Amino acid sequence: MTSPKKTGPDQDSADTAAAAEPATEAETAVRPAGGDYEPYPGAAYFHGGRTSEVIAAMAVRLHQEGHADRRLGPDWTNAHRRAFASFQESLRPKGGGDTSGIPDETAWEKLRVPRVTPVREA
């Protein structure tokens, strides 16, 4: 069990130093300008016949994470499903959750797919 994070003037100097460290190269390589990621489109979005830049961006991230042998295209295929299942399995070892290959919201957020759709203004 971890202790609660200290804040304020009593914060440990090690905590302060860690917070001041710049992002690693791997973290910045997948972070789009402004830190904006593609919102989860919902499980129904991922089906045969779907072609989308969102799927292409997801495929690039799966390749970067080592879950796809090659870069997959914008058409949803069984290869995309297998690659996402591999990613889900890395997050949930020993069958501890959804590893169907259909993106779920938790896994999608952890994949950090860069935004490719326009931001809708309210």
Side-chain angles (χ1 to χ4, degrees):
M1 191 162 142
T2 60
S3 60
K5 183 135 177 100
K6 296 179 183 179
T7 58
D10 296 325
Q11 184 176 9
D12 291 343
S13 60
D15 289 341
T16 305
E21 290 179 14
T24 65
E25 184 177 327
E27 290 170 336
T28 57
V30 298
R31 185 181 304 141
D36 199 12
Y37 299 106
E38 194 62 45
Y40 177 62
Y45 186 83
F46 302 96
H47 62 80
R50 170 75 71 182
T51 299
S52 167
E53 290 303 312
V54 172
I55 293 171
M58 175 200 73
V60 169
R61 286 292 299 125
L62 288 169
H63 179 75
Q64 290 171 340
E65 292 291 322
H67 297 282
D69 293 345
R70 57 184 168 81
R71 295 197 180 221
L72 302 170
D75 302 320
W76 179 258
T77 66
N78 285 333
H80 289 83
R81 188 175 184 148
R82 286 189 300 272
F84 206 89
S86 173
F87 179 68
Q88 288 171 318
E89 289 164 5
S90 74
L91 299 175
R92 303 171 178 126
K94 299 180 183 174
D98 179 12
T99 58
S100 67
I102 299 297
D104 60 274
E105 189 166 6
T106 300
W108 183 265
E109 288 174 5
K110 291 184 180 194
L111 186 58
R112 301 180 321 220
V113 176
R115 181 176 281 281
V116 294
T117 58
V119 176
R120 294 183 188 169
E121 295 188 30

